[in-house]
Amino acid sequence: MTGSTAHGTDTTHPTGEGIPTTSARTASVARTVTDALQPRNVLLAGMLGIGLAAAGGDWTGLLWGFLGALCAGLIPAGYIEWERGRGTWGDRHVVDRTKRAPIFFVILGSIGTGSVVMILGNAPTGILVAMLALWVMTIGLLAVNTVWKISVDSAVASAAVSLLAVVHSPWWIAAYALTAAVCWSRVALGYHTVAQTLAGAGLGAATTVAYVFV
């Protein structure tokens, strides 16, 4: 059931998860945020930055970063769009948790392949560790998703910021404001609860543990 104002205007919009959102204006802002900061965009910017920093500023780091973004973000996004075209899912959000497993397997295969290429090509350690951290994070997302709907968008946004802070500069922690915006947008649009976004962000931040072993 939707909410309404005294003038009869709808102010909430139920979703497939049954989580109400607020006003239409808030939903519009949240939609803009979630689309602009979706995983493929965050990973493209984040992995380019990680690659450049890992290579000590050498331009070749951008190539390794792009490979990372391609495997971790662009290929999975392409797969989702392909399935959408076939009518498998309504949009990239794949609201139904039970239908998400194939996406995680594509991500694991794609990141795994990219990691092998990086190893064979002697990629900078920092970008390779970031890839492996994202691979482990995806396993975590897949495992949790079998019983509970965790936020992938929040996990990716958090991981990108955390990894940049480790590889480049601690000042990147300030960019967690963007992660917070992603979490807010997912809740405002009704795709996730606060707990689901916080769990995703926490798992994303945990990717930095990989650097303890470097």
Side-chain angles (χ1 to χ4, degrees), residues 61-99:
L62 292 175
L63 297 180
W64 291 116
F66 181 74
L67 174 62
L70 178 67
C71 295
L74 301 181
I75 289 177
Y79 168 70
I80 292 173
E81 290 302 316
W82 178 67
E83 288 288 11
R84 282 183 62 192
R86 298 176 61 211
T88 306
W89 303 310
D91 58 27
R92 77 166 184 87
H93 303 285
V94 191
V95 175
D96 187 347
R97 172 183 60 80
T98 62
K99 295 181 179 180

mmCIF file of all heavy atoms in Angstrom, residues 61-99:
data_model
loop_
_atom_site.group_PDB
_atom_site.id
_atom_site.type_symbol
_atom_site.label_atom_id
_atom_site.label_comp_id
_atom_site.label_asym_id
_atom_site.label_seq_id
_atom_site.Cartn_x
_atom_site.Cartn_y
_atom_site.Cartn_z
ATOM 1 N N GLY A 61 49.997 1.756 -15.511
ATOM 2 C CA GLY A 61 49.071 1.390 -14.450
ATOM 3 C C GLY A 61 47.623 1.591 -14.864
ATOM 4 O O GLY A 61 46.723 0.872 -14.398
ATOM 5 N N LEU A 62 47.388 2.564 -15.758
ATOM 6 C CA LEU A 62 46.036 2.806 -16.244
ATOM 7 C C LEU A 62 45.534 1.621 -17.066
ATOM 8 O O LEU A 62 44.351 1.284 -17.019
ATOM 9 C CB LEU A 62 45.998 4.085 -17.085
ATOM 10 C CG LEU A 62 46.229 5.403 -16.331
ATOM 11 C CD1 LEU A 62 46.283 6.560 -17.321
ATOM 12 C CD2 LEU A 62 45.125 5.633 -15.301
ATOM 13 N N LEU A 63 46.452 1.003 -17.813
ATOM 14 C CA LEU A 63 46.056 -0.159 -18.623
ATOM 15 C C LEU A 63 45.661 -1.332 -17.724
ATOM 16 O O LEU A 63 44.665 -2.007 -17.969
ATOM 17 C CB LEU A 63 47.206 -0.567 -19.542
ATOM 18 C CG LEU A 63 47.637 0.461 -20.582
ATOM 19 C CD1 LEU A 63 48.792 -0.079 -21.430
ATOM 20 C CD2 LEU A 63 46.456 0.828 -21.486
ATOM 21 N N TRP A 64 46.458 -1.549 -16.679
ATOM 22 C CA TRP A 64 46.124 -2.613 -15.736
ATOM 23 C C TRP A 64 44.831 -2.279 -14.991
ATOM 24 O O TRP A 64 44.015 -3.167 -14.734
ATOM 25 C CB TRP A 64 47.265 -2.838 -14.748
ATOM 26 C CG TRP A 64 48.489 -3.429 -15.363
ATOM 27 C CD1 TRP A 64 49.724 -2.861 -15.461
ATOM 28 C CD2 TRP A 64 48.587 -4.719 -15.971
ATOM 29 N NE1 TRP A 64 50.597 -3.708 -16.099
ATOM 30 C CE2 TRP A 64 49.921 -4.861 -16.421
ATOM 31 C CE3 TRP A 64 47.696 -5.768 -16.185
ATOM 32 C CZ2 TRP A 64 50.380 -6.006 -17.069
ATOM 33 C CZ3 TRP A 64 48.141 -6.907 -16.835
ATOM 34 C CH2 TRP A 64 49.459 -7.026 -17.267
ATOM 35 N N GLY A 65 44.655 -1.016 -14.673
ATOM 36 C CA GLY A 65 43.431 -0.599 -14.002
ATOM 37 C C GLY A 65 42.210 -0.809 -14.881
ATOM 38 O O GLY A 65 41.159 -1.242 -14.409
ATOM 39 N N PHE A 66 42.368 -0.510 -16.169
ATOM 40 C CA PHE A 66 41.246 -0.706 -17.094
ATOM 41 C C PHE A 66 40.915 -2.189 -17.222
ATOM 42 O O PHE A 66 39.735 -2.559 -17.297
ATOM 43 C CB PHE A 66 41.555 -0.129 -18.473
ATOM 44 C CG PHE A 66 40.418 -0.301 -19.445
ATOM 45 C CD1 PHE A 66 39.283 0.484 -19.342
ATOM 46 C CD2 PHE A 66 40.472 -1.271 -20.439
ATOM 47 C CE1 PHE A 66 38.210 0.310 -20.213
ATOM 48 C CE2 PHE A 66 39.406 -1.451 -21.314
ATOM 49 C CZ PHE A 66 38.268 -0.654 -21.199
ATOM 50 N N LEU A 67 41.944 -3.026 -17.254
ATOM 51 C CA LEU A 67 41.691 -4.468 -17.302
ATOM 52 C C LEU A 67 40.897 -4.900 -16.064
ATOM 53 O O LEU A 67 39.953 -5.693 -16.157
ATOM 54 C CB LEU A 67 43.010 -5.242 -17.360
ATOM 55 C CG LEU A 67 42.890 -6.775 -17.276
ATOM 56 C CD1 LEU A 67 42.088 -7.313 -18.456
ATOM 57 C CD2 LEU A 67 44.283 -7.421 -17.245
ATOM 58 N N GLY A 68 41.284 -4.364 -14.915
ATOM 59 C CA GLY A 68 40.571 -4.676 -13.687
ATOM 60 C C GLY A 68 39.120 -4.234 -13.743
ATOM 61 O O GLY A 68 38.209 -4.969 -13.354
ATOM 62 N N ALA A 69 38.897 -3.016 -14.238
ATOM 63 C CA ALA A 69 37.537 -2.488 -14.351
ATOM 64 C C ALA A 69 36.718 -3.290 -15.359
ATOM 65 O O ALA A 69 35.521 -3.542 -15.150
ATOM 66 C CB ALA A 69 37.588 -1.021 -14.768
ATOM 67 N N LEU A 70 37.371 -3.700 -16.433
ATOM 68 C CA LEU A 70 36.697 -4.489 -17.469
ATOM 69 C C LEU A 70 36.190 -5.810 -16.890
ATOM 70 O O LEU A 70 35.027 -6.187 -17.081
ATOM 71 C CB LEU A 70 37.669 -4.766 -18.619
ATOM 72 C CG LEU A 70 37.132 -5.628 -19.774
ATOM 73 C CD1 LEU A 70 36.045 -4.877 -20.533
ATOM 74 C CD2 LEU A 70 38.275 -6.008 -20.724
ATOM 75 N N CYS A 71 37.071 -6.491 -16.172
ATOM 76 C CA CYS A 71 36.729 -7.813 -15.638
ATOM 77 C C CYS A 71 35.792 -7.753 -14.430
ATOM 78 O O CYS A 71 34.902 -8.594 -14.292
ATOM 79 C CB CYS A 71 38.008 -8.562 -15.260
ATOM 80 S SG CYS A 71 39.069 -8.944 -16.673
ATOM 81 N N ALA A 72 35.996 -6.775 -13.561
ATOM 82 C CA ALA A 72 35.197 -6.697 -12.334
ATOM 83 C C ALA A 72 33.872 -5.972 -12.528
ATOM 84 O O ALA A 72 32.899 -6.262 -11.808
ATOM 85 C CB ALA A 72 35.998 -6.003 -11.236
ATOM 86 N N GLY A 73 33.822 -5.029 -13.475
ATOM 87 C CA GLY A 73 32.625 -4.219 -13.613
ATOM 88 C C GLY A 73 31.956 -4.207 -14.973
ATOM 89 O O GLY A 73 30.739 -4.408 -15.082
ATOM 90 N N LEU A 74 32.729 -3.992 -16.031
ATOM 91 C CA LEU A 74 32.132 -3.801 -17.349
ATOM 92 C C LEU A 74 31.581 -5.095 -17.951
ATOM 93 O O LEU A 74 30.491 -5.109 -18.527
ATOM 94 C CB LEU A 74 33.151 -3.164 -18.297
ATOM 95 C CG LEU A 74 33.682 -1.799 -17.845
ATOM 96 C CD1 LEU A 74 34.669 -1.242 -18.866
ATOM 97 C CD2 LEU A 74 32.536 -0.809 -17.624
ATOM 98 N N ILE A 75 32.335 -6.183 -17.831
ATOM 99 C CA ILE A 75 31.848 -7.452 -18.367
ATOM 100 C C ILE A 75 30.603 -7.928 -17.614
ATOM 101 O O ILE A 75 29.600 -8.303 -18.244
ATOM 102 C CB ILE A 75 32.958 -8.521 -18.352
ATOM 103 C CG1 ILE A 75 34.013 -8.180 -19.418
ATOM 104 C CG2 ILE A 75 32.385 -9.920 -18.586
ATOM 105 C CD1 ILE A 75 35.198 -9.118 -19.448
ATOM 106 N N PRO A 76 30.616 -7.920 -16.268
ATOM 107 C CA PRO A 76 29.391 -8.296 -15.546
ATOM 108 C C PRO A 76 28.196 -7.409 -15.907
ATOM 109 O O PRO A 76 27.071 -7.898 -16.035
ATOM 110 C CB PRO A 76 29.790 -8.127 -14.080
ATOM 111 C CG PRO A 76 31.258 -8.410 -14.076
ATOM 112 C CD PRO A 76 31.749 -7.747 -15.332
ATOM 113 N N ALA A 77 28.457 -6.100 -16.075
ATOM 114 C CA ALA A 77 27.368 -5.189 -16.446
ATOM 115 C C ALA A 77 26.833 -5.539 -17.830
ATOM 116 O O ALA A 77 25.621 -5.493 -18.073
ATOM 117 C CB ALA A 77 27.857 -3.742 -16.417
ATOM 118 N N GLY A 78 27.747 -5.905 -18.727
ATOM 119 C CA GLY A 78 27.339 -6.309 -20.064
ATOM 120 C C GLY A 78 26.498 -7.571 -20.033
ATOM 121 O O GLY A 78 25.517 -7.714 -20.784
ATOM 122 N N TYR A 79 26.868 -8.488 -19.150
ATOM 123 C CA TYR A 79 26.103 -9.730 -19.006
ATOM 124 C C TYR A 79 24.691 -9.439 -18.511
ATOM 125 O O TYR A 79 23.712 -10.004 -19.015
ATOM 126 C CB TYR A 79 26.817 -10.663 -18.026
ATOM 127 C CG TYR A 79 25.966 -11.841 -17.593
ATOM 128 C CD1 TYR A 79 25.657 -12.867 -18.490
ATOM 129 C CD2 TYR A 79 25.449 -11.907 -16.292
ATOM 130 C CE1 TYR A 79 24.857 -13.931 -18.105
ATOM 131 C CE2 TYR A 79 24.651 -12.977 -15.908
ATOM 132 C CZ TYR A 79 24.358 -13.990 -16.808
ATOM 133 O OH TYR A 79 23.567 -15.039 -16.429
ATOM 134 N N ILE A 80 24.586 -8.538 -17.547
ATOM 135 C CA ILE A 80 23.268 -8.177 -17.020
ATOM 136 C C ILE A 80 22.401 -7.562 -18.120
ATOM 137 O O ILE A 80 21.212 -7.881 -18.251
ATOM 138 C CB ILE A 80 23.406 -7.197 -15.835
ATOM 139 C CG1 ILE A 80 24.043 -7.904 -14.641
ATOM 140 C CG2 ILE A 80 22.039 -6.622 -15.444
ATOM 141 C CD1 ILE A 80 24.369 -6.985 -13.466
ATOM 142 N N GLU A 81 23.003 -6.680 -18.932
ATOM 143 C CA GLU A 81 22.253 -6.049 -20.013
ATOM 144 C C GLU A 81 21.813 -7.085 -21.042
ATOM 145 O O GLU A 81 20.713 -7.001 -21.603
ATOM 146 C CB GLU A 81 23.104 -4.963 -20.683
ATOM 147 C CG GLU A 81 23.333 -3.728 -19.823
ATOM 148 C CD GLU A 81 22.029 -3.080 -19.411
ATOM 149 O OE1 GLU A 81 21.126 -2.944 -20.275
ATOM 150 O OE2 GLU A 81 21.877 -2.731 -18.229
ATOM 151 N N TRP A 82 22.670 -8.066 -21.290
ATOM 152 C CA TRP A 82 22.340 -9.127 -22.239
ATOM 153 C C TRP A 82 21.146 -9.931 -21.736
ATOM 154 O O TRP A 82 20.221 -10.232 -22.494
ATOM 155 C CB TRP A 82 23.550 -10.035 -22.437
ATOM 156 C CG TRP A 82 23.302 -11.188 -23.363
ATOM 157 C CD1 TRP A 82 23.051 -11.126 -24.705
ATOM 158 C CD2 TRP A 82 23.248 -12.585 -23.005
ATOM 159 N NE1 TRP A 82 22.853 -12.390 -25.210
ATOM 160 C CE2 TRP A 82 22.976 -13.312 -24.195
ATOM 161 C CE3 TRP A 82 23.428 -13.279 -21.813
ATOM 162 C CZ2 TRP A 82 22.863 -14.692 -24.220
ATOM 163 C CZ3 TRP A 82 23.320 -14.663 -21.826
ATOM 164 C CH2 TRP A 82 23.043 -15.356 -23.012
ATOM 165 N N GLU A 83 21.169 -10.273 -20.465
ATOM 166 C CA GLU A 83 20.054 -11.020 -19.876
ATOM 167 C C GLU A 83 18.777 -10.181 -19.845
ATOM 168 O O GLU A 83 17.677 -10.705 -20.027
ATOM 169 C CB GLU A 83 20.410 -11.474 -18.455
ATOM 170 C CG GLU A 83 21.442 -12.591 -18.386
ATOM 171 C CD GLU A 83 20.886 -13.941 -18.834
ATOM 172 O OE1 GLU A 83 19.773 -13.998 -19.392
ATOM 173 O OE2 GLU A 83 21.573 -14.952 -18.628
ATOM 174 N N ARG A 84 18.945 -8.886 -19.635
ATOM 175 C CA ARG A 84 17.776 -8.002 -19.676
ATOM 176 C C ARG A 84 17.143 -8.032 -21.058
ATOM 177 O O ARG A 84 15.917 -8.060 -21.202
ATOM 178 C CB ARG A 84 18.168 -6.568 -19.335
ATOM 179 C CG ARG A 84 18.379 -6.294 -17.864
ATOM 180 C CD ARG A 84 18.682 -4.811 -17.661
ATOM 181 N NE ARG A 84 17.570 -3.979 -18.093
ATOM 182 C CZ ARG A 84 17.630 -2.656 -18.240
ATOM 183 N NH1 ARG A 84 18.770 -2.025 -18.006
ATOM 184 N NH2 ARG A 84 16.575 -1.980 -18.607
ATOM 185 N N GLY A 85 17.994 -8.007 -22.076
ATOM 186 C CA GLY A 85 17.507 -8.052 -23.449
ATOM 187 C C GLY A 85 16.744 -9.331 -23.750
ATOM 188 O O GLY A 85 15.815 -9.343 -24.575
ATOM 189 N N ARG A 86 17.121 -10.396 -23.055
ATOM 190 C CA ARG A 86 16.438 -11.674 -23.236
ATOM 191 C C ARG A 86 15.171 -11.767 -22.399
ATOM 192 O O ARG A 86 14.426 -12.731 -22.494
ATOM 193 C CB ARG A 86 17.377 -12.825 -22.847
ATOM 194 C CG ARG A 86 18.634 -12.930 -23.679
ATOM 195 C CD ARG A 86 19.536 -14.027 -23.141
ATOM 196 N NE ARG A 86 18.847 -15.324 -23.196
ATOM 197 C CZ ARG A 86 19.044 -16.325 -22.345
ATOM 198 N NH1 ARG A 86 19.880 -16.165 -21.330
ATOM 199 N NH2 ARG A 86 18.410 -17.462 -22.487
ATOM 200 N N GLY A 87 14.962 -10.761 -21.561
ATOM 201 C CA GLY A 87 13.777 -10.746 -20.716
ATOM 202 C C GLY A 87 13.929 -11.492 -19.406
ATOM 203 O O GLY A 87 12.951 -11.729 -18.697
ATOM 204 N N THR A 88 15.185 -11.849 -19.052
ATOM 205 C CA THR A 88 15.421 -12.581 -17.805
ATOM 206 C C THR A 88 15.145 -11.714 -16.597
ATOM 207 O O THR A 88 14.563 -12.171 -15.613
ATOM 208 C CB THR A 88 16.877 -13.089 -17.749
ATOM 209 O OG1 THR A 88 17.154 -13.855 -18.929
ATOM 210 C CG2 THR A 88 17.101 -13.958 -16.512
ATOM 211 N N TRP A 89 15.614 -10.444 -16.648
ATOM 212 C CA TRP A 89 15.419 -9.514 -15.539
ATOM 213 C C TRP A 89 14.826 -8.220 -16.055
ATOM 214 O O TRP A 89 15.035 -7.833 -17.204
ATOM 215 C CB TRP A 89 16.753 -9.220 -14.844
ATOM 216 C CG TRP A 89 17.458 -10.441 -14.346
ATOM 217 C CD1 TRP A 89 16.927 -11.446 -13.579
ATOM 218 C CD2 TRP A 89 18.816 -10.802 -14.601
ATOM 219 N NE1 TRP A 89 17.882 -12.398 -13.338
ATOM 220 C CE2 TRP A 89 19.043 -12.035 -13.933
ATOM 221 C CE3 TRP A 89 19.866 -10.212 -15.304
ATOM 222 C CZ2 TRP A 89 20.274 -12.684 -13.975
ATOM 223 C CZ3 TRP A 89 21.096 -10.848 -15.332
ATOM 224 C CH2 TRP A 89 21.291 -12.075 -14.674
ATOM 225 N N GLY A 90 14.127 -7.507 -15.180
ATOM 226 C CA GLY A 90 13.510 -6.255 -15.574
ATOM 227 C C GLY A 90 14.501 -5.114 -15.683
ATOM 228 O O GLY A 90 14.390 -4.258 -16.554
ATOM 229 N N ASP A 91 15.499 -5.076 -14.775
ATOM 230 C CA ASP A 91 16.509 -4.031 -14.826
ATOM 231 C C ASP A 91 17.788 -4.535 -14.184
ATOM 232 O O ASP A 91 17.872 -5.689 -13.769
ATOM 233 C CB ASP A 91 16.026 -2.734 -14.148
ATOM 234 C CG ASP A 91 15.635 -2.952 -12.685
ATOM 235 O OD1 ASP A 91 16.175 -3.877 -12.048
ATOM 236 O OD2 ASP A 91 14.802 -2.186 -12.180
ATOM 237 N N ARG A 92 18.792 -3.669 -14.102
ATOM 238 C CA ARG A 92 20.094 -4.101 -13.600
ATOM 239 C C ARG A 92 20.077 -4.445 -12.115
ATOM 240 O O ARG A 92 20.978 -5.108 -11.625
ATOM 241 C CB ARG A 92 21.145 -3.007 -13.844
ATOM 242 C CG ARG A 92 21.065 -1.824 -12.871
ATOM 243 C CD ARG A 92 22.293 -0.950 -12.924
ATOM 244 N NE ARG A 92 22.244 0.113 -11.937
ATOM 245 C CZ ARG A 92 22.660 -0.012 -10.677
ATOM 246 N NH1 ARG A 92 23.149 -1.162 -10.261
ATOM 247 N NH2 ARG A 92 22.588 1.005 -9.834
ATOM 248 N N HIS A 93 19.053 -4.015 -11.389
ATOM 249 C CA HIS A 93 19.017 -4.212 -9.945
ATOM 250 C C HIS A 93 18.686 -5.651 -9.545
ATOM 251 O O HIS A 93 19.021 -6.068 -8.440
ATOM 252 C CB HIS A 93 18.008 -3.254 -9.313
ATOM 253 C CG HIS A 93 18.295 -1.821 -9.636
ATOM 254 N ND1 HIS A 93 19.326 -1.114 -9.048
ATOM 255 C CD2 HIS A 93 17.702 -0.963 -10.508
ATOM 256 C CE1 HIS A 93 19.353 0.119 -9.537
ATOM 257 N NE2 HIS A 93 18.375 0.235 -10.414
ATOM 258 N N VAL A 94 18.053 -6.394 -10.425
ATOM 259 C CA VAL A 94 17.692 -7.793 -10.160
ATOM 260 C C VAL A 94 17.152 -7.904 -8.723
ATOM 261 O O VAL A 94 17.793 -8.456 -7.824
ATOM 262 C CB VAL A 94 18.884 -8.744 -10.358
ATOM 263 C CG1 VAL A 94 18.406 -10.197 -10.342
ATOM 264 C CG2 VAL A 94 19.608 -8.456 -11.670
ATOM 265 N N VAL A 95 15.988 -7.369 -8.531
ATOM 266 C CA VAL A 95 15.383 -7.268 -7.201
ATOM 267 C C VAL A 95 15.232 -8.633 -6.517
ATOM 268 O O VAL A 95 15.428 -8.759 -5.311
ATOM 269 C CB VAL A 95 14.010 -6.565 -7.294
ATOM 270 C CG1 VAL A 95 13.322 -6.574 -5.940
ATOM 271 C CG2 VAL A 95 14.198 -5.128 -7.788
ATOM 272 N N ASP A 96 14.909 -9.654 -7.293
ATOM 273 C CA ASP A 96 14.714 -10.988 -6.733
ATOM 274 C C ASP A 96 16.066 -11.614 -6.373
ATOM 275 O O ASP A 96 16.859 -11.956 -7.250
ATOM 276 C CB ASP A 96 13.978 -11.872 -7.738
ATOM 277 C CG ASP A 96 13.578 -13.232 -7.157
ATOM 278 O OD1 ASP A 96 14.081 -13.593 -6.073
ATOM 279 O OD2 ASP A 96 12.766 -13.920 -7.804
ATOM 280 N N ARG A 97 16.317 -11.769 -5.094
ATOM 281 C CA ARG A 97 17.588 -12.325 -4.616
ATOM 282 C C ARG A 97 17.886 -13.700 -5.199
ATOM 283 O O ARG A 97 19.035 -14.017 -5.492
ATOM 284 C CB ARG A 97 17.555 -12.409 -3.085
ATOM 285 C CG ARG A 97 18.724 -13.136 -2.451
ATOM 286 C CD ARG A 97 18.557 -13.221 -0.943
ATOM 287 N NE ARG A 97 17.355 -13.930 -0.553
ATOM 288 C CZ ARG A 97 17.254 -15.265 -0.521
ATOM 289 N NH1 ARG A 97 18.280 -16.019 -0.867
ATOM 290 N NH2 ARG A 97 16.129 -15.837 -0.137
ATOM 291 N N THR A 98 16.877 -14.504 -5.386
ATOM 292 C CA THR A 98 17.078 -15.881 -5.834
ATOM 293 C C THR A 98 17.559 -15.976 -7.282
ATOM 294 O O THR A 98 17.989 -17.046 -7.713
ATOM 295 C CB THR A 98 15.768 -16.692 -5.689
ATOM 296 O OG1 THR A 98 14.750 -16.115 -6.536
ATOM 297 C CG2 THR A 98 15.291 -16.679 -4.251
ATOM 298 N N LYS A 99 17.490 -14.869 -8.012
ATOM 299 C CA LYS A 99 17.916 -14.880 -9.412
ATOM 300 C C LYS A 99 19.313 -14.291 -9.613
ATOM 301 O O LYS A 99 19.778 -14.150 -10.746
ATOM 302 C CB LYS A 99 16.913 -14.098 -10.273
ATOM 303 C CG LYS A 99 15.527 -14.734 -10.326
ATOM 304 C CD LYS A 99 14.604 -13.931 -11.217
ATOM 305 C CE LYS A 99 13.221 -14.586 -11.295
ATOM 306 N NZ LYS A 99 12.292 -13.813 -12.174
#
